Amino acid sequence: MTHAQAAARALLASALSVSALLATAACSVGGQDGPGTVVPSSVSAPASSAAPAVEQPSASPPDAGLSEEQVRAALITETDLGQPWVPTRGAATWRDGLLKASTKDADCRRLLDVLYTEELFGTPTGPRAVVALDDAYNGAQLRYQVAAYRPADVDRTLKWLGGLPDKCGKFKATTKRDGVQETEVDALRLPEVGDARQALRVSMTGKAPDGESTHLTLDVAVVRIGEDTITLTNGGFGEVLSELTQVIAEFGADRLTEIRKQGRAEV
């Protein structure tokens, strides 16, 4: 069994005991300090932050939705994933090397842009919590975000993502540092969770300036539950197991659903 397979199975075992972990999340929502810090609306939460961060919009909508503490409690952290996942030590080198790329087709170029910026939906309508984690074993990096967006906007983007395997199944992406990358986009099936969902697997293959072959695999998954949306990216040069992405998406959707129920009960 490979390291990635072992990690996926370990998380799946944890997901089967989800009620215990949701009880922990409930404690955080109930008033204890959750992971992460609150930052002003003028400061964005970078993907390289070592701890979860919450971004509060400048103006609250009429229906405030989840509180900052609830959004933090909905995150999946290194505590849930276990070893070898640790708080990130900074943006992965492949982000600027490969994802900062261009191509002729507008849809494919937009895909590269959102993979690089990790911003699919623009400014959220409520608090946003983000955590970035590194796999200390093989250098993979995971970013998990929970935020509120207008459902219609999210669903429009999900429809666009769903059409990309046909529009951008195979294309060439030109990078400044690593030359031309042969890029493939495939649909990634997610469990039937939330109100809407979509996922893709993007693979980029080429050669580094030193002549060494490179192969980046990046999963992007989105699950919408009401007005709250989970956005997950999981990628690296090593083995990136799609099962791990699927299990995290399902596990996170269960956690967010439970926290949303708690929030309505407290109103």
Side-chain angles (χ1 to χ4, degrees):
M1 181 186 300
T2 68
H3 157 76
Q5 290 170 328
R9 291 191 180 186
L11 183 57
L12 180 57
S14 297
L16 295 176
S17 302
V18 67
S19 58
L21 289 171
L22 290 177
T24 301
C27 291
S28 297
V29 175
Q32 296 183 10
D33 293 335
T37 57
V38 178
V39 297
S41 59
S42 60
V43 180
S44 61
S48 61
S49 61
V54 172
E55 181 178 332
Q56 180 67 36
S58 57
S60 297
D63 180 4
L66 296 180
S67 68
E68 295 169 357
E69 292 77 13
Q70 288 170 327
V71 172
R72 276 195 295 262
L75 289 174
I76 300 299
T77 70
E78 72 276 10
T79 302
D80 302 311
L81 298 181
Q83 295 182 349
W85 292 97
V86 296
T88 189
R89 291 164 290 186
T93 56
W94 44 261
R95 291 190 55 77
D96 281 334
L98 296 180
L99 296 184
K100 202 169 184 179
S102 62
T103 191
K104 293 181 179 179
D105 183 87
D107 281 305
C108 305
R109 186 168 59 249
R110 179 185 171 191
L111 171 63
L112 292 171
D113 288 344
V114 298
L115 290 178
Y116 178 71
T117 62
E118 296 183 311
E119 291 292 344
L120 275 166
F121 307 108
T123 303
T125 60
R128 171 168 56 184
V130 184
V131 64
L133 304 172
D134 291 340
D135 182 333
Y137 182 86
N138 68 2
Q141 191 165 85
L142 182 150
R143 186 177 189 266
Y144 190 94
Q145 172 181 292
V146 178
Y149 300 99
R150 294 178 181 85
D153 293 342
V154 174
D155 290 348
R156 245 190 325 270
T157 300
L158 293 183
K159 183 178 180 181
W160 171 72
L161 287 173
L164 290 179
D166 291 330
K167 295 178 180 178
C168 303
K170 292 185 179 182
F171 67 95
K172 295 182 185 294
T174 303
T175 72
K176 291 184 178 180
R177 288 180 9 189
D178 294 325
V180 177
Q181 299 289 314
E182 299 291 339
T183 307
E184 295 188 18
V185 181
D186 297 299
L188 177 62
R189 184 181 297 275
L190 290 180
E192 294 291 322
V193 293
D195 298 313
R197 70 209 67 81
Q198 193 60 256
L200 298 174
R201 166 158 287 209
V202 180
S203 301
M204 304 181 76
T205 304
K207 285 189 176 182
D210 59 6
E212 183 178 354
S213 297
T214 59
H215 183 77
L216 173 70
T217 303
L218 182 64
D219 290 347
V220 55
V222 179
V223 178
R224 181 178 67 77
I225 303 172
E227 294 187 355
D228 299 303
T229 297
I230 295 167
T231 307
L232 162 68
T233 58
N234 176 28
F237 283 133
E239 185 177 21
V240 177
L241 206 63
S242 60
E243 289 85 350
L244 183 62
T245 302
Q246 292 163 334
V247 169
I248 292 175
E250 181 174 17
F251 185 63
D254 289 342
R255 172 169 287 181
L256 178 57
T257 297
E258 184 63 25
I259 288 174
R260 283 171 54 84
K261 290 178 181 178
Q262 296 166 4
R264 288 195 294 271
E266 291 172 2
V267 174

